[in-house]
Amino acid sequence: GAYIIKGGEDIHALDPAITAIVCETIELIPSEKFLFHLINFCNDHAVYLLMTTNNLQGFKLLDLQSRINATYKVAIRPPDENLLRVILLKHFSDRQLKVNEEIIDFIFARTARSYSFIKKFIDPIDKLSLTKKRKVTIPLIKEFLNSAEHDL
């Protein structure tokens, strides 16, 4: 239910009844003054503010940099291989596809280990399994990976 900031809003026109605001990729917001006033608005009106960024440094407006430095920060790192295995198993499970560790090992030995890969991989392999009326097996995975019909 948070209000999503696009970067062109008039801060003074925001409804003070808003309880949460999300401002993603703040380094792409063209106006540092806008960000400065947004942080002040949230502080003044007890509004939760979630900001995302790939770069916490380098703001030219020193008051903005000071406020950024004073915020709570959480680094979100890419998932490790164990978490990726769990995510892949969950995606298979969500589609009611049964796979074992051997299949997961086979997939990860031959593909990228990333969340974006899993997102691109799971739908086409599910469709192939349904189309061919076959379970997800190593031969089916081999067939899929050797075909040129996917963009992974």
Side-chain angles (χ1 to χ4, degrees):
Y3 181 80
I4 309 295
I5 290 288
K6 305 287 190 252
E9 293 86 348
D10 176 7
I11 297 293
H12 303 292
L14 290 176
D15 182 355
I18 293 172
T19 58
I21 293 176
V22 174
C23 186
E24 293 188 283
T25 322
I26 63 171
E27 66 271 17
L28 299 180
I29 301 285
S31 170
E32 290 190 3
K33 282 186 179 182
F34 173 83
L35 287 173
F36 175 76
H37 290 300
L38 176 64
I39 293 169
N40 287 340
F41 172 87
C42 291
N43 285 334
D44 294 344
H45 294 91
V47 174
Y48 291 103
L49 175 61
L50 173 67
M51 299 182 290
T52 66
T53 184
N54 289 321
N55 183 10
L56 293 170
Q57 302 300 316
F59 293 100
K60 293 179 181 102
L61 190 59
L62 295 181
D63 286 339
L64 172 62
Q65 186 67 60
S66 173
R67 280 171 177 70
I68 297 289
N69 291 343
T71 62
Y72 292 106
K73 295 162 192 69
V74 176
I76 301 174
R77 305 268 183 244
D80 64 11
E81 187 167 333
N82 289 332
L83 181 55
L84 287 170
R85 287 172 173 278
V86 170
I87 291 169
L88 185 56
L89 281 168
K90 173 154 182 8
H91 279 279
F92 278 126
S93 176
D94 288 348
R95 289 167 175 76
Q96 298 177 346
L97 298 169
K98 295 186 188 218
V99 295
N100 59 33
E101 285 295 321
E102 185 181 8
I103 291 172
I104 301 298
D105 291 343
F106 182 84
I107 292 168
F108 279 140
R110 290 157 180 79
T111 62
R113 291 178 184 95
S114 70
Y115 184 71
S116 61
F117 164 77
I118 291 171
K119 284 177 64 175
K120 288 190 252 178
F121 175 79
I122 202 73
D123 283 335
I125 200 68
D126 185 19
K127 287 177 187 167
L128 181 62
S129 172
L130 288 170
T131 303
K132 298 218 174 214
K133 296 181 176 138
R134 291 170 49 194
K135 292 181 180 182
V136 177
T137 60
I138 289 176
L140 184 73
I141 302 283
K142 273 185 190 177
E143 182 180 323
F144 175 75
L145 292 174
N146 289 333
S147 74
E149 296 174 14
H150 55 79
D151 182 27
L152 301 176

